[in-house]
Structures are given as structure tokens and as C-alpha cells.
Amino acid sequence: MGEDKSAIKSGTPMLGVLGPLSSQTKLFSSRTKPRGDSFIFRMHYRTTFVFIMACCLLVTATQYLGDKIACLVDKDSLSQKVIDTYCFISSTYTLPSTKDMQEGLQVAHRGLGPDVPEEETVYHNYYMWVPYVLFLQALCFYVPHWLWKMMQTDKVMNVLQGLNYLIVDQEQRKKKEDTMVDYLYYNWGRHNIWAIKYVVCETLNLLNIILQLIITNQFLGGEFMTYGTQVVEFMNYEPQNRSDPMYEIFPRITKCSFHRYGPSGSIERHDALCVLSINILNEKIYLALWFWFLFLLVLTILLMLYRMATLLFKPVRSKLMLGRNARYGSRDTAYFVAEKCDFGDWYLLNTLSRNMNGPVFAEVLKKLTRKMEEGDDATLKA
């Protein structure tokens, strides 16, 4: 213990101070392992990652377990398998000029009709790329967490030393509290870089959700940004006056043109009507993604505004610490510590308070305040 105390007084790094007790944290499962991130941060790399991966697996299973596409051809001499495969790997198309025509009377299916030269044609080939795009998007939501995991070096877990769990042995608890206070005191002012790294990762979350909105919008031909609002408006229209936006973006019936050489060597064109049953699933997935991305974007923007306020304004940090310590500890103690905090120290204390029992954290602040006051008195006497 003599060596440990001398290491603390010389201002050694965190692991040197907490070495004797940090090994105990390995006994705790990684599932309950404390981290220095927020609930909204976890919504990016946990909730969103799992949700998008589940959608990816669902689409992949549907494509491999059922027919990806089924096309009706106009010639019996053509192989059904060849036409289905060709239309799936090339592309199918619809005619926007016929989307408002009455189905069954003016056109066989909405969005289809006889080909007219120079008529606008919308090609659809995104459906075969949906699983791959979803998989890459899921990875993008995990990247900021992976970077933060690499940079934080388990600081929060090592500082806590298991104080986030209920410790019945009072002597053991006090020993860990004293070790935590020693670390906080002798490393005061050295956590700014660590905290700024976290703010950078939070910023990456915001940039990523914006990027995913742009990528998805481009992937779906520029229709994703207004997809959710169009669906909501569609639900409020009268049945005879509404056009389903899900059908327009994710058509279930499309056309496909196949060319081959005839008996005389001339080029023959064969039209096929193709049923894209996979789009019934795709339209629901992207509708859910639209609402989730919007919800997550709003939460992340609010989080970044909160983070900027805590980063730039000390009174905000002081009030937050007072609020957390008001129930179990002294307001004067919390205010004293908060006034001496820069952003890095405040963020570490704030993170510890979220992972610790209220009375235990209040006791740590009380001991830290006493140690700071003793240090100030010693400085004045010197």
C-alpha cells in the first residue's frame, strides 16, 4: 500500500492508482459493464443496429426462401426461369404517366401500360441490393461506439471498482471510495481529452444519422425524405381519391422487356409483367426506418445541444450536479466541486453518478470536497 500511495502522490496515470482493485472488475459480466456513454448513444449502436440487422436478415431470408420475382411472359417458348432471372438481375420498370389511371378499366395495373416513345420510364433495381445496403447501414451505426470503445480504455469501469453494485461490507466500500477520491483528486483536470473524444463520437452519431437519411433517399430514387409524410397523408384521403405512395415507391407489379433473336435473325422483344412480392416487405421496413430515423435524429440534435451547453457553460454543469446531489448530499458540497470542474472532470463525475447509488456518490463528493479543502489550506500555508 505504501507504493500505491506514493504513486498517487506523484500523479501517476489512472491504472497505476487503481491497479490493486481494477482486477476485481473483471469478475463482473460485460453485459452490466458500466460505460461512459448516454442512453441516446446506446440507441444508435444497440437499438438501431439490432433493428436494421433484423430487417436485413428478414429480407435475406424472404428472398432465399421464396420467389424473388415471378414474371408472366407472352410467349410459351420462353423459359420462365430465364425470364425471372433476367428481370431480377437487370431491372424492371413502371410508367409514371399511368399511375393515376383507373386500374382494370384504363390500365391492367396502375403504373403500367403500353410503351410510348419518349415517355418517362422509372426503372427499379434496388430490391436486389436492399439486404446489402441495410447491412452496411447497420455497421455505420456501430462504428462510433467501436471508436469510443477503443478510446475510453475502460476508464469508468476502473474508476468505479464495482461501486455500481451493492456492497454490503462497509469497510470494503469505504476503502473503494477512498481510492476513487484519491484518483479524482490527483488526476483532477486530466480528463478533458477523454471527454472530448466522447463528444466527437456523439458528433459522429449525428453526422451518421444525417448521412443515412441522404443515402437511403438516394437509394430509393429521392423519395425517402417525404415517404413517411406521404403515407400519413394517404391514410387521411378518401379511398377513391388517394394514390398509395408505398405502391409508387415500392411497386408490386412492374414490367420487364426481354430481347432475343428470332428464327430469321431479327430482334424480337417480349414484354413481361413481373410480381415483386418482396416489395410488400420492403415498403413496411422503410416506413419503419423513416419514423425511427426521424425520431433518432431529433433526439440526437437535442443531445448535441445539451452537450454543447455543458461544454461551454459552467453554470449549466453546476446546476446539473446540484440536481443530482440535492437528494442525498449537501448542495454546498456539490456546488464547491462543480465550481472547480472543467468539462472533463464534470463529465466523469456525471457519468459516475449515473452508475452509482445516490448516497455512495454523495459520500464520494463529500470526501473529495474535504480533500480539496485540505489541499487548498496546505497550498496557502506553503
Side-chain angles (χ1 to χ4, degrees):
M1 289 301 294
E3 294 180 358
D4 294 336
K5 291 181 179 178
S6 62
I8 292 174
K9 292 181 180 180
S10 62
T12 55
M14 173 187 61
L15 293 180
V17 176
L18 302 175
L21 295 172
S22 61
S23 59
Q24 298 181 16
T25 58
K26 296 180 180 179
L27 300 175
F28 305 125
S29 65
S30 59
R31 182 180 179 183
T32 56
K33 183 176 173 181
R35 294 286 186 183
D37 51 22
S38 65
F39 173 72
I40 297 177
F41 197 108
R42 291 192 292 273
M43 290 177 69
H44 282 263
Y45 73 84
R46 287 185 181 175
T47 309
T48 308
F49 174 81
V50 171
F51 173 57
I52 297 180
M53 284 299 296
C55 293
C56 175
L57 294 175
L58 182 61
V59 173
T60 304
T62 304
Q63 287 193 4
Y64 282 97
L65 295 178
D67 293 332
K68 299 181 288 291
I69 190 173
C71 296
L72 176 66
V73 294
D74 57 350
K75 297 291 184 180
D76 295 336
S77 59
L78 296 176
S79 169
Q80 182 70 48
K81 184 176 181 180
V82 170
I83 295 297
D84 290 348
T85 304
Y86 170 80
C87 293
F88 183 77
I89 64 176
S90 58
S91 62
T92 60
Y93 64 92
T94 54
L95 305 173
S97 61
T98 64
K99 68 178 182 178
D100 295 325
M101 295 184 180
Q102 191 171 0
E103 188 172 324
L105 295 177
Q106 296 173 297
V107 291
H109 296 280
R110 189 152 43 89
L112 304 181
D115 293 334
V116 178
E118 299 182 358
E119 184 178 14
E120 181 184 3
T121 302
V122 178
Y123 289 91
H124 309 279
N125 60 358
Y126 57 83
Y127 41 80
M128 59 180 163
W129 298 105
V130 168
Y132 308 103
V133 172
L134 289 175
F135 177 75
L136 292 176
Q137 287 183 307
L139 292 182
C140 288
F141 279 97
Y142 193 82
V143 167
H145 164 67
W146 178 80
L147 291 174
W148 171 237
K149 186 178 179 181
M150 294 298 102
M151 292 187 296
Q152 75 157 335
T153 63
D154 290 335
K155 179 189 289 285
V156 175
M157 184 184 71
N158 287 326
V159 175
L160 279 170
Q161 313 164 77
L163 284 174
N164 53 314
Y165 294 88
L166 179 63
I167 300 178
V168 179
D169 189 341
Q170 297 298 317
E171 183 178 350
Q172 182 184 15
R173 179 177 62 80
K174 290 181 179 180
K175 180 180 177 182
K176 292 185 176 184
E177 289 175 357
D178 292 338
T179 304
M180 179 185 292
V181 169
D182 286 340
Y183 166 75
L184 292 172
Y185 179 75
Y186 290 109
N187 289 274
W188 198 254
R190 299 182 181 180
H191 305 110
N192 282 331
I193 295 178
W194 173 78
I196 292 300
K197 288 178 180 178
Y198 176 72
V199 176
V200 170
C201 290
E202 281 189 327
T203 305
L204 289 178
N205 279 330
L206 177 60
L207 295 177
N208 177 64
I209 186 64
I210 295 174
L211 178 63
Q212 297 312 314
L213 284 168
I214 295 174
I215 289 176
T216 307
N217 189 60
Q218 293 297 318
F219 180 61
L220 297 180
E223 300 287 345
F224 183 70
M225 290 299 187
T226 58
Y227 181 46
T229 55
Q230 289 179 8
V231 173
V232 173
E233 291 175 358
F234 162 74
M235 301 301 294
N236 295 323
Y237 289 158
E238 295 295 330
Q240 64 273 15
N241 297 326
R242 61 187 187 180
S243 177
D244 190 348
M246 291 190 289
Y247 191 95
E248 295 177 12
I249 303 175
F250 302 97
R252 294 119 188 186
I253 308 292
T254 57
K255 291 186 68 174
C256 176
S257 297
F258 180 78
H259 297 84
R260 72 169 187 172
Y261 287 103
S264 62
S266 60
I267 298 178
E268 296 180 349
R269 171 177 172 168
H270 303 277
D271 286 339
L273 291 181
C274 298
V275 179
L276 296 174
S277 57
I278 189 65
N279 271 351
I280 298 177
L281 179 62
N282 287 336
E283 67 183 19
K284 309 302 189 300
I285 287 176
Y286 280 99
L287 181 62
L289 284 177
W290 188 90
F291 283 105
W292 179 252
F293 282 176
L294 182 63
F295 173 70
L296 193 61
L297 176 63
V298 172
L299 286 184
T300 308
I301 291 174
L302 293 176
L303 173 64
M304 292 309 301
L305 292 175
Y306 162 80
R307 188 64 65 215
M308 290 301 103
T310 58
L311 179 62
L312 299 175
F313 304 107
K314 179 177 285 189
V316 175
R317 300 197 294 265
S318 299
K319 287 184 178 181
L320 289 171
M321 185 169 290
L322 287 172
R324 286 187 178 276
N325 200 53
R327 182 177 179 183
Y328 299 103
S330 168
R331 293 178 60 88
D332 293 337
T333 297
Y335 183 78
F336 177 83
V337 174
E339 284 299 304
K340 289 182 174 291
C341 282
D342 52 21
F343 178 74
D345 297 317
W346 174 84
Y347 184 74
L348 178 59
L349 288 172
N350 188 59
T351 303
L352 293 175
S353 70
R354 295 200 309 264
N355 288 278
M356 294 172 63
N357 185 272
V360 176
F361 179 71
E363 184 65 23
V364 168
L365 280 188
K366 181 179 179 181
K367 291 181 178 179
L368 181 61
T369 301
R370 187 182 306 121
K371 198 171 188 67
M372 285 181 170
E373 290 175 341
E374 292 174 355
D376 292 342
D377 292 340
T379 301
L380 290 174
K381 291 178 181 179

